[in-house]
């Protein structure tokens, strides 16, 4: 049976150090497991030339680069990338470029969608999942972030940026993420029915620099406030 065609967006800003290795790893997992994957890298004119590396690889891998003129943010990058996904893809997804998200669980994520789940989330917070080499401060921040959003859904890893969602689950859904958390926006708003959490061990980035800063924490709280307001006052929410 043909596997479910998917499109995965990888937003990038200054990821030249690792992007080629990542794209080759996704291709290798795809080939070994018969996946039908289109990868769309959305690069915001990275000064380190990430976009040019992806353009070169596009001649040999099922990958292409959407170039945006400047740093416009992770979440809008994912949404812009999805808009260009090939029509045959039945699911859309997102993954970070820094090898934090384990490419080896992609076949399980696709299998979950094929078996009736509308959403497959790469999860640090179910049995078998975890985090390596994160400072305690980061672990606590992530746990608190998930706890704050917990009443919105049953998904445990709510701040995961690694997921695949059935395309139809996003129909007529207005995604309006303020900061980094496109995953939370999808988990809280999309019409996906059942969600599967596929465990993986998150590894901190080994090359490149983090783009997470205090402002993203503030953005997250603003996003939560909007999501709760929309739940509590569905007709009043913008
Ligand atoms: N296109 C685009 N991509 C971005 C932007 N900001 C971050 N990214 C990408 O989004 C992904 C996640 O960013 P990270 O810096 O890894 O953020 P994080 O995972 O929360 O933090 P660290 O892993 O600690 O660095 C990476 O692939 C980044 O290159 C942006 O403004 N535009
Ligand atoms: Mg990262």
């Amino acid at each position: 049976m043909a596997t479910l065609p998917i499109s995965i967006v990888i937003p990038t800003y200054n990821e030249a150090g690792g992007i080629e290795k990542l794209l080759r790893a996704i291709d290798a997992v795809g080939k070994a497991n018969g996946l039908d994957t289109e990868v769309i890298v959305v690069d915001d004119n990275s000064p380190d030339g990430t976009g040019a590396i992806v353009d070169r690889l596009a001649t040999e891998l099922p990958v292409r680069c959407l170039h945006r003129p400047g740093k416009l943010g992770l979440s809008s990058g994912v949404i812009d990338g999805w808009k260009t996904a090939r029509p045959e893809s039945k699911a859309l997804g997102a993954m970070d470029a820094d090898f934090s998200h384990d490419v080896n669980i992609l076949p399980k994520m696709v299998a979950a969608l094929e078996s009736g789940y509308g959403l497959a989330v790469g999860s640090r917070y179910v049995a078998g999942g975890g985090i390596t080499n994160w400072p305690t401060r980061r672990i606590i921040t992530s746990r608190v972030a998930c706890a704050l959003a917990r009443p919105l859904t049953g998904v445990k890893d709510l701040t995961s940026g690694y997921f695949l969602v059935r395309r139809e689950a996003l129909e007529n859904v207005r995604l309006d993420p303020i900061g980094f958390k496109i995953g939370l926006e999808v988990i809280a708003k999309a019409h996906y029915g059942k969600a599967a959490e596929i465990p993986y061990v998150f590894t901190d980035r080994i090359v490149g620099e983090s783009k997470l800063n205090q402002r993203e924490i503030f953005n997250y709280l603003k996003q939560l406030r909007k999501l709760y307001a929309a739940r509590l006052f569905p007709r009043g929410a913008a």
Side-chain angles (χ1 to χ4, degrees):
M1 197 182 76
T3 174
L4 191 88
I6 60 171
S7 293
I8 299 181
V9 171
I10 304 179
T12 56
Y13 192 75
N14 285 344
E15 301 288 0
I19 191 68
E20 174 160 1
K21 197 171 160 212
L22 178 69
L23 294 175
R24 290 195 186 282
I26 295 171
D27 189 54
V29 170
K31 283 202 177 107
N33 294 277
L35 301 185
D36 181 358
T37 309
E38 169 193 50
V39 177
I40 305 161
V41 174
V42 179
D43 185 67
D44 282 356
N45 202 10
S46 296
D48 72 354
T50 306
I53 296 172
V54 180
D55 284 339
R56 171 173 56 79
L57 291 169
T59 58
E60 55 166 307
L61 302 175
V63 168
R64 74 194 146 78
C65 188
L66 175 67
H67 296 271
R68 300 198 301 177
K71 195 169 183 313
L72 296 169
L74 187 169
S75 295
S76 75
V78 171
I79 293 171
D80 283 354
W82 285 346
K83 287 181 191 154
T84 72
R86 59 186 177 163
E88 63 265 40
S89 281
K90 298 274 184 274
L92 304 175
M95 180 193 274
D96 288 354
D98 58 357
F99 266 95
S100 292
H101 297 156
D102 184 358
V103 297
N104 294 305
I105 64 164
L106 270 175
K108 283 190 191 153
M109 290 168 78
V110 171
L113 295 185
E114 284 171 339
S115 71
Y117 291 93
L119 173 72
V121 179
S123 181
R124 298 161 291 182
Y125 300 141
V126 290
I131 296 174
T132 51
N133 62 359
W134 245 15
T136 314
R137 187 177 48 83
R138 237 3 242 279
I139 294 177
I140 293 170
T141 312
S142 172
R143 283 291 191 176
V144 171
C146 282
L148 289 175
R150 206 52 217 287
L152 290 167
T153 125
V155 173
K156 292 202 174 67
D157 196 346
L158 276 160
T159 56
S160 173
Y162 186 22
F163 59 92
L164 287 176
V165 62
R166 282 255 179 199
R167 208 168 191 161
E168 64 263 24
L170 294 173
E171 268 165 34
N172 303 319
V173 174
R174 197 170 140 249
L175 296 173
D176 188 22
I178 301 169
F180 261 34
K181 297 303 175 194
I182 179 68
L184 172 64
E185 193 77 0
V186 168
I187 293 169
K189 288 185 177 171
H191 308 299
Y192 47 81
K194 285 192 303 174
E197 289 192 72
I198 314 295
Y200 78 103
V201 177
F202 179 99
T203 42
D204 202 5
R205 64 163 62 243
I206 32 180
V207 288
E209 275 176 30
S210 174
K211 284 102 207 163
L212 185 75
N213 52 31
Q214 293 294 332
R215 206 182 72 183
E216 288 308 330
I217 295 176
F218 182 62
N219 282 337
Y220 179 73
L221 295 175
K222 277 193 354 199
Q223 187 181 356
L224 274 184
R225 193 184 62 189
K226 273 176 69 173
L227 288 170
Y228 276 111
R231 281 292 165 90
L232 295 171
F233 314 107
R235 281 192 293 165

